[in-house]
Amino acid sequence: MSEGMRRAQVLLPFPGEGLFDYWVPEAVVPGQIVRVPFGRGAKLGIVWSLKADPSVPDERIKPVDAIWEGLPPLPEADRELLEFTARYYLAPLGEVVAAMLPPALRRRKREPRSKGRGEEGATEPAGPLPELTEGQRAALEAVPRDGFSATLLHGITGSGKTEVYLRLVAECLAQGRQALLLVPEIALTPQLTERVHARFPSARIVCLHSEAPAGERSAAFVAAMRGEIDVVLGTRLAVFAPFVRLGLVVVDEEHDPSYKQFEGVPYSARDLAVWRARRWNVPIVLGSATPSLESWASCEAGRYRRVALSARASGQPLPTIELIDTAQTPAEEGVSAPLAQAIEATLARGEQALVFLNRRGYAPVVRCGHCGWVSRCPNCSVNLVFHRDDGRMHCHHCGYRETPPRSCPECGALDLQPVGRGTQRLEERLQALFPQARIARIDRDAVRTLAQWETLLEEVRAGRYDLLVGTQMMAKGHDFPSLTLVGVIGADAGLYAAEVRATERMFQQLIQVAGRAGRAGAPGRVLVQTEFPQHPLFRELAAHDYAAFAARTLAERRALRLPPFAFQALLRADDEALEPALAFLEAARTTGREIAGREGWPVKVFDPVPMRLVRLARRERAQLLVEGGRRPALHAFLERWVEALRGLPHPRSLRWRLEVDPLET
Ligand code: ADP
Ligand code: ZN
Ligand code: ZN
């Protein structure tokens, strides 16, 4: 075409492979950001390769609109991150790049100006640093600084893991390099941002998460590409932030399932963070009081090193954990007498207590006392949860709401009762027991936005409340200095669940929520109501013995050849009815078994089954599990299989997706 132009492939955020040919100026190099005409509009993309697709004739190719001058090309390592993500999760490259480019940037007509302050980064730390505990000092010594290494920092709750991260960040910044800090939840970002800011007042820090204003996210992306950022801090999406001088990666609360993305490309930010650190040849620290059994097993296998922080930074002991046998001491409307007494004593001392119940709403079901009818969601295979706030029944899966009928729709009896207990009902009960107490309920109904959450945290810290009722929102790394008592209700639910990771989650949650007690002044106490005090999980919990829990659970998994001793992928299909979903999966199974058999790949292709929660938002869902003892064989299989799946006929209404390393099977 024109003088000084050549053809190149440009990667566009597009649901598909996303590679399209354009004319670009000769001087363009891979990684440059360009604006291209696309359909009737324009799109932002990345120059991917200077090779062209020979099957598309020159005259069908358009020139790019503009090169983003002044923005350096995306480094090769980051382009490889996109490629790796696409390959590992069997996702089209165009969808993966959509996870990296902030949405506002993609829609932009003109290049935004970076707001980078241009000044050189940081180090002078602010004020005197706390003297490190012995454990922190040992931990810092144990983390290698040269080249790639993965360290699991197993630090009990309140052991001061953050201080270890901050010291590592300080060294990283002193070398003029950049640090990436990941936390599992938006709610945890303000606390960490504040601490990083306070420690490095002149460092350029950006905080990335899905609630950050769109303009801020694109400005941060641009600044990061220009290398004008010292610290990127954020939730899972921050794992895709571009870097030019990455020097350190930290993944806090590494066990948290929120690192897994469910919409779009189902990636694990923790696992991608490890990949990034390896690619950049820099250290990564994975911190947790309750490490994932995957990471724990990686330590046993020598892939990660393990460093323990086994004392609290404050010098306080861990809280005592006592089990209340509800078979002996029945709970009255949820609260047993010993728990009620402990709360009373705590409040009398002017300290705070938390009662943990991981179920929101008032009652998990409305039931007819006469015929046994229960409230069900018309769109999903779940019960409707009664909420007291609006007096309606809610579906916690699809959002459907309905006013409870006056009489039973089945038998007409007037005997409809809310059955069971959620946080709202527990709050009511506690208010009746402690009429003087100022109670805050902390769950997703009461706290919807980051701003509400921050206000509430501040009020709790300021002592505005005596008694907290909360779900797992409370079980994450927050620091409440006056909280000395934690009561746990309804913990037995996870004990005999069918999910592979149900007990792991339960144990992690209980250790975490217990860890909120007694972090500052007074010693903490935890009371767990259970019908199964003899269960090994509760004995390990009472002893704060994560290692024993991990050893026992890993031995079980090894015997049953479950993850992390096997690798899995899950193919899911959904449609308006179950039959087509199952039929698609049956065809997928046949094809899969053929491929594995022909190639001799040791991969097990299971039979399709309806999902446990089979109906969701009017879609019927089924799944098929694939398992292999070795990752390379499984991946070789998956690559071939997914190609075959793309060619399988199915009704238009059917959707399918493949998930690698599923957390729930
Ligand atoms: P973790 O993340 O391990 O649960 P944090 O990092 O939140 O623990 O630390 C718990 C508390 O201990 C915080 O209030 C923190 O300021 C304090 N702390 C951490 N390290 C030290 C230290 N070396 N000396 C005194 N206090 C410390
Ligand atoms: Zn009835
Ligand atoms: Zn529903």
Side-chain angles (χ1 to χ4, degrees):
M1 175 184 151
S2 41
E3 281 291 290
M5 299 285 267
R6 63 179 303 173
R7 282 174 61 163
Q9 283 194 317
V10 176
L11 175 60
L12 299 178
F14 191 78
E17 277 313 313
L19 288 171
F20 298 88
D21 277 19
Y22 285 93
W23 292 105
V24 298
E26 287 279 3
V28 158
V29 296
Q32 275 191 299
I33 306 283
V34 290
R35 183 156 45 88
V36 301
F38 192 88
R40 287 201 197 144
K43 264 184 192 286
L44 217 58
I46 302 172
V47 176
W48 200 247
S49 98
L50 300 177
K51 284 191 243 106
D53 176 357
S55 66
V56 188
D58 276 2
E59 55 277 15
R60 295 242 328 260
I61 307 296
K62 291 179 183 167
V64 300
D65 285 344
I67 314 286
W68 193 328
E69 301 293 348
L71 198 61
L74 190 68
E76 193 180 353
D78 287 350
R79 281 179 276 140
E80 281 177 24
L81 170 69
L82 296 178
E83 248 163 13
F84 172 78
T85 307
R87 199 167 62 242
Y88 187 83
Y89 293 106
L90 288 308
L93 200 54
E95 276 173 40
V96 176
V97 72
M100 177 185 268
L101 295 177
L105 191 73
R106 284 182 256 150
R107 287 194 302 269
R108 274 195 115 97
K109 295 261 161 48
R110 247 177 265 129
E111 297 98 65
R113 289 234 206 105
S114 147
K115 283 200 299 197
R117 280 176 281 155
E119 62 202 71
E120 262 317 290
T123 41
E124 309 273 305
L129 301 181
E131 184 156 344
L132 293 176
T133 64
E134 222 169 278
Q136 286 169 329
R137 204 167 306 133
L140 277 167
E141 267 169 34
V143 177
R145 308 299 204 273
D146 287 335
F148 168 73
S149 60
T151 304
L152 180 66
L153 181 60
H154 176 217
I156 61 167
T157 53
S159 59
K161 293 184 284 296
T162 313
E163 187 61 39
V164 174
Y165 308 151
L166 291 176
R167 298 295 172 110
L168 291 169
V169 171
E171 286 181 29
C172 170
L173 299 186
Q175 294 171 358
R177 301 180 78 176
Q178 302 166 300
L180 169 63
L181 306 183
L182 297 179
V183 291
E185 279 217 348
I186 296 180
L188 291 169
T189 56
Q191 187 177 311
L192 187 60
T193 311
E194 206 175 287
R195 286 182 72 175
V196 175
H197 259 302
R199 181 63 59 89
F200 309 108
S202 56
R204 296 155 302 181
I205 301 162
V206 290
C207 180
L208 294 178
H209 55 75
S210 57
E211 272 186 37
E216 229 170 70
R217 265 180 74 189
S218 27
F221 178 86
V222 171
M225 270 190 81
R226 292 201 167 121
E228 293 165 352
I229 300 292
D230 302 306
V231 180
V232 174
L233 186 160
T235 56
R236 60 176 179 255
L237 57 83
V239 80
F240 287 109
F243 285 95
V244 292
R245 303 180 307 275
L246 185 63
L248 171 73
V249 182
V250 172
V251 181
D252 194 21
E253 311 287 356
E254 66 90 31
H255 64 280
D256 199 301
S258 304
Y259 281 119
K260 188 78 191 274
Q261 165 77 20
F262 288 101
E263 312 284 304
V265 182
Y267 65 85
S268 155
R270 178 195 62 210
D271 297 350
L272 288 181
V274 175
W275 187 90
R276 275 196 104 164
R278 184 181 287 121
R279 175 62 184 78
W280 279 90
N281 201 27
V282 300
I284 178 168
V285 175
L286 305 156
S288 177
T290 53
S292 65
L293 292 182
E294 275 77 8
S295 296
W296 195 266
S298 288
C299 293
E300 312 271 272
R303 286 188 297 275
Y304 297 177
R305 41 182 80 217
R306 180 167 44 215
V307 175
L309 282 181
S310 30
R312 283 188 156 178
S314 59
Q316 282 294 336
L318 279 171
T320 56
I321 300 182
E322 300 152 55
L323 304 173
I324 299 174
D325 184 347
T326 47
Q328 305 286 331
T329 321
E332 248 178 79
E333 289 183 55
V335 184
S336 64
L339 178 56
Q341 283 153 17
I343 294 173
E344 189 168 8
T346 305
L347 301 186
R349 286 195 303 270
E351 296 164 1
Q352 287 171 325
L354 159 70
V355 185
F356 173 75
L357 170 61
N358 201 18
R359 197 191 283 138
R360 65 192 175 91
Y362 185 84
V365 69
V366 175
R367 186 173 179 278
C368 169
H370 188 67
C371 77
W373 171 89
V374 291
S375 53
R376 299 280 287 172
C377 176
N379 307 326
C380 310
S381 42
V382 295
N383 294 336
L384 291 175
V385 178
F386 181 66
H387 281 242
R388 190 194 46 195
D389 319 26
D390 62 357
R392 304 177 81 190
M393 305 187 295
H394 297 204
C395 174
H396 284 185
H397 294 270
C398 74
Y400 174 86
R401 291 181 183 195
E402 183 185 314
T403 307
R406 285 228 205 137
S407 58
C408 173
E410 282 294 318
C411 73
L414 293 171
D415 190 14
L416 296 183
Q417 299 293 339
V419 179
R421 187 176 340 278
T423 45
Q424 295 177 356
R425 194 170 201 169
L426 179 60
E427 180 188 6
E428 197 175 82
R429 170 72 180 146
L430 289 169
Q431 195 71 78
L433 283 173
F434 308 102
Q436 309 297 328
R438 297 162 302 167
I439 303 184
R441 180 163 58 81
I442 304 179
D443 57 29
R444 270 204 288 132
D445 299 305
V447 187
R448 290 169 195 277
T449 66
L450 183 56
Q452 284 174 336
W453 176 243
E454 289 191 85
T455 309
L456 191 68
L457 285 186
E458 226 159 82
E459 288 174 348
V460 172
R461 291 216 182 93
R464 193 84 71 79
Y465 298 104
D466 316 302
L467 188 49
L468 313 173
V469 179
T471 57
Q472 48 100 20
M473 282 181 92
M474 291 297 295
K476 312 232 171 177
H478 302 288
D479 210 21
F480 302 107
S482 317
L483 188 71
T484 56
L485 177 73
V486 171
V488 176
I489 285 181
D492 291 341
L495 216 46
Y496 296 103
E499 277 295 331
V500 177
R501 290 177 179 78
T503 53
E504 179 183 349
R505 293 273 169 271
M506 175 177 166
F507 194 79
Q508 288 167 341
Q509 226 166 48
L510 292 178
I511 286 274
Q512 293 286 347
V513 75
R516 299 313 112 203
R519 287 167 69 92
R525 185 172 178 213
V526 180
L527 297 176
V528 182
Q529 295 187 173
T530 174
E531 276 182 54
F532 308 99
Q534 296 310 317
H535 194 288
L537 184 144
F538 284 120
R539 284 191 276 115
E540 291 149 358
L541 177 73
H544 295 276
D545 197 345
Y546 194 75
F549 169 78
R552 181 177 57 83
T553 311
L554 282 174
E556 276 172 21
R557 300 242 193 118
R558 189 193 293 274
L560 297 170
R561 306 191 130 273
L562 289 169
F565 303 102
F567 303 101
Q568 299 181 326
L570 200 56
L571 178 65
R572 294 201 164 111
D574 62 78
D575 204 337
E576 287 146 13
L578 191 58
E579 291 68 32
L582 282 170
F584 176 82
L585 294 180
E586 271 155 24
R589 174 198 56 195
T590 305
T591 313
R593 286 185 182 165
E594 264 169 33
I595 294 172
R598 195 178 333 121
E599 302 289 342
W601 282 323
V603 169
K604 209 160 151 189
V605 181
F606 287 84
D607 286 321
V609 287
M611 284 177 64
R612 253 186 288 278
L613 205 168
V614 60
R615 188 171 154 81
L616 181 76
R618 295 171 182 247
R619 310 272 301 174
E620 303 281 343
R621 315 183 307 156
Q623 67 182 33
L624 181 168
L625 183 68
V626 179
E627 214 174 72
R630 286 181 46 245
R631 219 185 255 295
L634 178 63
H635 259 82
F637 166 80
L638 291 176
E639 272 171 37
R640 191 74 64 76
W641 192 41
V642 82
E643 238 167 75
L645 295 179
R646 290 191 178 125
L648 279 187
H650 62 73
R652 280 182 73 96
S653 52
L654 182 139
R655 292 186 305 230
W656 61 268
R657 64 194 241 116
L658 188 61
E659 191 182 344
V660 178
D661 305 333
L663 287 183
E664 284 175 26
T665 50

PDB file of all heavy atoms in Angstrom, residues 249-267:
ATOM      1  N   VAL A 249       7.033  -9.298  43.927  1.00  0.00           N
ATOM      2  CA  VAL A 249       5.596  -9.575  43.904  1.00  0.00           C
ATOM      3  C   VAL A 249       5.198 -10.121  45.277  1.00  0.00           C
ATOM      4  O   VAL A 249       5.898 -10.969  45.835  1.00  0.00           O
ATOM      5  CB  VAL A 249       5.236 -10.609  42.815  1.00  0.00           C
ATOM      6  CG1 VAL A 249       3.724 -10.839  42.781  1.00  0.00           C
ATOM      7  CG2 VAL A 249       5.735 -10.160  41.450  1.00  0.00           C
ATOM      8  N   VAL A 250       4.098  -9.590  45.814  1.00  0.00           N
ATOM      9  CA  VAL A 250       3.565 -10.080  47.085  1.00  0.00           C
ATOM     10  C   VAL A 250       2.101 -10.440  46.881  1.00  0.00           C
ATOM     11  O   VAL A 250       1.341  -9.661  46.302  1.00  0.00           O
ATOM     12  CB  VAL A 250       3.671  -9.000  48.188  1.00  0.00           C
ATOM     13  CG1 VAL A 250       2.937  -9.446  49.452  1.00  0.00           C
ATOM     14  CG2 VAL A 250       5.124  -8.681  48.505  1.00  0.00           C
ATOM     15  N   VAL A 251       1.713 -11.617  47.324  1.00  0.00           N
ATOM     16  CA  VAL A 251       0.304 -12.006  47.295  1.00  0.00           C
ATOM     17  C   VAL A 251      -0.122 -12.243  48.734  1.00  0.00           C
ATOM     18  O   VAL A 251       0.298 -13.210  49.370  1.00  0.00           O
ATOM     19  CB  VAL A 251       0.085 -13.292  46.467  1.00  0.00           C
ATOM     20  CG1 VAL A 251      -1.403 -13.657  46.440  1.00  0.00           C
ATOM     21  CG2 VAL A 251       0.612 -13.117  45.051  1.00  0.00           C
ATOM     22  N   ASP A 252      -0.918 -11.319  49.268  1.00  0.00           N
ATOM     23  CA  ASP A 252      -1.349 -11.444  50.659  1.00  0.00           C
ATOM     24  C   ASP A 252      -2.605 -12.307  50.720  1.00  0.00           C
ATOM     25  O   ASP A 252      -3.424 -12.286  49.805  1.00  0.00           O
ATOM     26  CB  ASP A 252      -1.620 -10.051  51.243  1.00  0.00           C
ATOM     27  CG  ASP A 252      -1.748 -10.096  52.762  1.00  0.00           C
ATOM     28  OD1 ASP A 252      -1.242 -11.065  53.383  1.00  0.00           O
ATOM     29  OD2 ASP A 252      -2.350  -9.174  53.333  1.00  0.00           O
ATOM     30  N   GLU A 253      -2.791 -13.019  51.813  1.00  0.00           N
ATOM     31  CA  GLU A 253      -3.931 -13.938  51.980  1.00  0.00           C
ATOM     32  C   GLU A 253      -4.040 -14.827  50.740  1.00  0.00           C
ATOM     33  O   GLU A 253      -5.085 -14.918  50.108  1.00  0.00           O
ATOM     34  CB  GLU A 253      -5.244 -13.158  52.180  1.00  0.00           C
ATOM     35  CG  GLU A 253      -5.192 -12.053  53.221  1.00  0.00           C
ATOM     36  CD  GLU A 253      -5.154 -12.564  54.652  1.00  0.00           C
ATOM     37  OE1 GLU A 253      -5.236 -13.785  54.867  1.00  0.00           O
ATOM     38  OE2 GLU A 253      -5.015 -11.727  55.560  1.00  0.00           O
ATOM     39  N   GLU A 254      -2.929 -15.489  50.449  1.00  0.00           N
ATOM     40  CA  GLU A 254      -2.819 -16.188  49.168  1.00  0.00           C
ATOM     41  C   GLU A 254      -3.821 -17.322  49.016  1.00  0.00           C
ATOM     42  O   GLU A 254      -4.074 -17.795  47.915  1.00  0.00           O
ATOM     43  CB  GLU A 254      -1.392 -16.707  48.970  1.00  0.00           C
ATOM     44  CG  GLU A 254      -0.959 -17.804  49.954  1.00  0.00           C
ATOM     45  CD  GLU A 254      -1.265 -19.208  49.470  1.00  0.00           C
ATOM     46  OE1 GLU A 254      -1.258 -19.416  48.260  1.00  0.00           O
ATOM     47  OE2 GLU A 254      -1.508 -20.079  50.318  1.00  0.00           O
ATOM     48  N   HIS A 255      -4.387 -17.788  50.142  1.00  0.00           N
ATOM     49  CA  HIS A 255      -5.323 -18.912  50.095  1.00  0.00           C
ATOM     50  C   HIS A 255      -6.702 -18.488  49.612  1.00  0.00           C
ATOM     51  O   HIS A 255      -7.557 -19.329  49.362  1.00  0.00           O
ATOM     52  CB  HIS A 255      -5.493 -19.468  51.511  1.00  0.00           C
ATOM     53  CG  HIS A 255      -6.128 -18.457  52.419  1.00  0.00           C
ATOM     54  ND1 HIS A 255      -5.412 -17.435  52.987  1.00  0.00           N
ATOM     55  CD2 HIS A 255      -7.418 -18.272  52.793  1.00  0.00           C
ATOM     56  CE1 HIS A 255      -6.233 -16.685  53.701  1.00  0.00           C
ATOM     57  NE2 HIS A 255      -7.461 -17.154  53.599  1.00  0.00           N
ATOM     58  N   ASP A 256      -6.938 -17.182  49.516  1.00  0.00           N
ATOM     59  CA  ASP A 256      -8.310 -16.700  49.351  1.00  0.00           C
ATOM     60  C   ASP A 256      -8.882 -17.034  47.967  1.00  0.00           C
ATOM     61  O   ASP A 256      -8.286 -16.705  46.953  1.00  0.00           O
ATOM     62  CB  ASP A 256      -8.339 -15.186  49.567  1.00  0.00           C
ATOM     63  CG  ASP A 256      -9.732 -14.702  49.858  1.00  0.00           C
ATOM     64  OD1 ASP A 256     -10.626 -14.920  49.000  1.00  0.00           O
ATOM     65  OD2 ASP A 256      -9.960 -14.125  50.933  1.00  0.00           O
ATOM     66  N   PRO A 257     -10.061 -17.668  47.938  1.00  0.00           N
ATOM     67  CA  PRO A 257     -10.642 -18.028  46.639  1.00  0.00           C
ATOM     68  C   PRO A 257     -10.983 -16.822  45.765  1.00  0.00           C
ATOM     69  O   PRO A 257     -11.212 -16.985  44.566  1.00  0.00           O
ATOM     70  CB  PRO A 257     -11.908 -18.814  47.006  1.00  0.00           C
ATOM     71  CG  PRO A 257     -12.129 -18.623  48.451  1.00  0.00           C
ATOM     72  CD  PRO A 257     -10.852 -18.164  49.073  1.00  0.00           C
ATOM     73  N   SER A 258     -11.009 -15.619  46.345  1.00  0.00           N
ATOM     74  CA  SER A 258     -11.305 -14.436  45.521  1.00  0.00           C
ATOM     75  C   SER A 258     -10.213 -14.146  44.498  1.00  0.00           C
ATOM     76  O   SER A 258     -10.421 -13.327  43.605  1.00  0.00           O
ATOM     77  CB  SER A 258     -11.478 -13.194  46.388  1.00  0.00           C
ATOM     78  OG  SER A 258     -12.464 -13.420  47.343  1.00  0.00           O
ATOM     79  N   TYR A 259      -9.062 -14.773  44.619  1.00  0.00           N
ATOM     80  CA  TYR A 259      -8.046 -14.586  43.586  1.00  0.00           C
ATOM     81  C   TYR A 259      -8.448 -15.243  42.274  1.00  0.00           C
ATOM     82  O   TYR A 259      -7.838 -15.029  41.243  1.00  0.00           O
ATOM     83  CB  TYR A 259      -6.693 -15.133  44.043  1.00  0.00           C
ATOM     84  CG  TYR A 259      -5.981 -14.182  44.967  1.00  0.00           C
ATOM     85  CD1 TYR A 259      -5.649 -14.532  46.262  1.00  0.00           C
ATOM     86  CD2 TYR A 259      -5.661 -12.906  44.532  1.00  0.00           C
ATOM     87  CE1 TYR A 259      -5.009 -13.637  47.109  1.00  0.00           C
ATOM     88  CE2 TYR A 259      -5.032 -11.999  45.365  1.00  0.00           C
ATOM     89  CZ  TYR A 259      -4.702 -12.377  46.647  1.00  0.00           C
ATOM     90  OH  TYR A 259      -4.081 -11.470  47.463  1.00  0.00           O
ATOM     91  N   LYS A 260      -9.493 -16.047  42.348  1.00  0.00           N
ATOM     92  CA  LYS A 260      -9.956 -16.716  41.148  1.00  0.00           C
ATOM     93  C   LYS A 260     -10.997 -15.850  40.457  1.00  0.00           C
ATOM     94  O   LYS A 260     -11.954 -15.397  41.081  1.00  0.00           O
ATOM     95  CB  LYS A 260     -10.570 -18.057  41.559  1.00  0.00           C
ATOM     96  CG  LYS A 260     -10.939 -18.955  40.424  1.00  0.00           C
ATOM     97  CD  LYS A 260      -9.718 -19.651  39.847  1.00  0.00           C
ATOM     98  CE  LYS A 260     -10.050 -20.326  38.553  1.00  0.00           C
ATOM     99  NZ  LYS A 260     -10.595 -21.663  38.737  1.00  0.00           N
ATOM    100  N   GLN A 261     -10.804 -15.651  39.159  1.00  0.00           N
ATOM    101  CA  GLN A 261     -11.771 -14.900  38.367  1.00  0.00           C
ATOM    102  C   GLN A 261     -12.798 -15.882  37.819  1.00  0.00           C
ATOM    103  O   GLN A 261     -12.425 -16.956  37.339  1.00  0.00           O
ATOM    104  CB  GLN A 261     -11.023 -14.190  37.226  1.00  0.00           C
ATOM    105  CG  GLN A 261     -11.866 -13.656  36.116  1.00  0.00           C
ATOM    106  CD  GLN A 261     -12.564 -12.359  36.490  1.00  0.00           C
ATOM    107  OE1 GLN A 261     -12.148 -11.677  37.410  1.00  0.00           O
ATOM    108  NE2 GLN A 261     -13.612 -12.033  35.778  1.00  0.00           N
ATOM    109  N   PHE A 262     -14.075 -15.535  37.899  1.00  0.00           N
ATOM    110  CA  PHE A 262     -15.077 -16.468  37.391  1.00  0.00           C
ATOM    111  C   PHE A 262     -15.689 -16.046  36.070  1.00  0.00           C
ATOM    112  O   PHE A 262     -15.987 -16.857  35.224  1.00  0.00           O
ATOM    113  CB  PHE A 262     -16.161 -16.710  38.446  1.00  0.00           C
ATOM    114  CG  PHE A 262     -15.653 -17.548  39.572  1.00  0.00           C
ATOM    115  CD1 PHE A 262     -15.273 -16.972  40.766  1.00  0.00           C
ATOM    116  CD2 PHE A 262     -15.489 -18.911  39.412  1.00  0.00           C
ATOM    117  CE1 PHE A 262     -14.764 -17.746  41.803  1.00  0.00           C
ATOM    118  CE2 PHE A 262     -14.981 -19.701  40.433  1.00  0.00           C
ATOM    119  CZ  PHE A 262     -14.617 -19.115  41.625  1.00  0.00           C
ATOM    120  N   GLU A 263     -15.866 -14.755  35.890  1.00  0.00           N
ATOM    121  CA  GLU A 263     -16.429 -14.266  34.631  1.00  0.00           C
ATOM    122  C   GLU A 263     -15.318 -14.213  33.585  1.00  0.00           C
ATOM    123  O   GLU A 263     -14.159 -14.013  33.929  1.00  0.00           O
ATOM    124  CB  GLU A 263     -16.968 -12.843  34.793  1.00  0.00           C
ATOM    125  CG  GLU A 263     -17.835 -12.638  36.003  1.00  0.00           C
ATOM    126  CD  GLU A 263     -19.211 -13.206  35.806  1.00  0.00           C
ATOM    127  OE1 GLU A 263     -19.849 -12.791  34.823  1.00  0.00           O
ATOM    128  OE2 GLU A 263     -19.627 -14.060  36.593  1.00  0.00           O
ATOM    129  N   GLY A 264     -15.699 -14.326  32.343  1.00  0.00           N
ATOM    130  CA  GLY A 264     -14.691 -14.189  31.283  1.00  0.00           C
ATOM    131  C   GLY A 264     -13.632 -15.275  31.378  1.00  0.00           C
ATOM    132  O   GLY A 264     -13.952 -16.447  31.523  1.00  0.00           O
ATOM    133  N   VAL A 265     -12.374 -14.878  31.303  1.00  0.00           N
ATOM    134  CA  VAL A 265     -11.290 -15.851  31.382  1.00  0.00           C
ATOM    135  C   VAL A 265     -11.133 -16.292  32.843  1.00  0.00           C
ATOM    136  O   VAL A 265     -10.841 -15.471  33.702  1.00  0.00           O
ATOM    137  CB  VAL A 265      -9.960 -15.224  30.896  1.00  0.00           C
ATOM    138  CG1 VAL A 265      -8.849 -16.263  30.931  1.00  0.00           C
ATOM    139  CG2 VAL A 265     -10.127 -14.646  29.499  1.00  0.00           C
ATOM    140  N   PRO A 266     -11.331 -17.569  33.137  1.00  0.00           N
ATOM    141  CA  PRO A 266     -11.269 -17.988  34.545  1.00  0.00           C
ATOM    142  C   PRO A 266      -9.827 -18.227  35.002  1.00  0.00           C
ATOM    143  O   PRO A 266      -9.367 -19.346  35.047  1.00  0.00           O
ATOM    144  CB  PRO A 266     -12.082 -19.288  34.571  1.00  0.00           C
ATOM    145  CG  PRO A 266     -12.064 -19.786  33.169  1.00  0.00           C
ATOM    146  CD  PRO A 266     -11.679 -18.675  32.248  1.00  0.00           C
ATOM    147  N   TYR A 267      -9.145 -17.129  35.353  1.00  0.00           N
ATOM    148  CA  TYR A 267      -7.741 -17.244  35.741  1.00  0.00           C
ATOM    149  C   TYR A 267      -7.583 -17.176  37.258  1.00  0.00           C
ATOM    150  O   TYR A 267      -8.465 -16.701  37.962  1.00  0.00           O
ATOM    151  CB  TYR A 267      -6.912 -16.140  35.084  1.00  0.00           C
ATOM    152  CG  TYR A 267      -7.256 -14.736  35.536  1.00  0.00           C
ATOM    153  CD1 TYR A 267      -6.679 -14.200  36.679  1.00  0.00           C
ATOM    154  CD2 TYR A 267      -8.157 -13.941  34.834  1.00  0.00           C
ATOM    155  CE1 TYR A 267      -6.997 -12.910  37.101  1.00  0.00           C
ATOM    156  CE2 TYR A 267      -8.478 -12.657  35.240  1.00  0.00           C
ATOM    157  CZ  TYR A 267      -7.891 -12.144  36.379  1.00  0.00           C
ATOM    158  OH  TYR A 267      -8.201 -10.883  36.801  1.00  0.00           O
TER     159      TYR A 267
END
